């Protein structure tokens, strides 16, 4: 289908919008910058690069591999 690439792009963009919305919620509750998997602080450099990230570098690497610590 010719719509397939657009559908995939839309889903990817929607996922980013949802992640940004979640990051804004965390700012309001004071939990911004805390990894949702291990509970450790996410380094400032990572937050500067990807402000909406819910994971520290270590947990993001494990998530890409399909393994790692369980979410808190």
């Amino acid at each position: 289908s010719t719509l397939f690439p657009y559908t995939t792009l839309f889903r990817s963009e929607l996922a980013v919008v949802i992640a940004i919305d979640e990051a804004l919620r965390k700012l309001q509750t004071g939990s911004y910058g805390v990894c949702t998997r291990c509970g450790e602080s996410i380094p400032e450099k990572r937050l500067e690069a990807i402000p909406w990230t819910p994971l520290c570098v270590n947990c993001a690497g494990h998530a890409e591999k399909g393994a790692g610590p369980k979410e808190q």
Side-chain angles (χ1 to χ4, degrees), residues 9-41:
L9 179 62
F10 174 76
R11 286 182 184 160
S12 176
E13 290 174 345
L14 182 59
V16 171
V17 170
I18 290 169
I20 291 169
D21 189 53
E22 179 66 13
L24 291 171
R25 185 190 66 74
K26 288 180 176 186
L27 274 170
Q28 292 175 337
T29 63
S31 61
Y32 179 73
V34 177
C35 180
T36 58
R37 288 191 122 181
C38 70
E40 296 291 320
S41 292

Side-chain angles (χ1 to χ4, degrees), residues 56-71:
C56 67
V57 175
N58 188 41
C59 288
H62 288 299
E64 288 177 7
K65 295 175 186 172
K70 296 187 188 240
E71 290 191 28

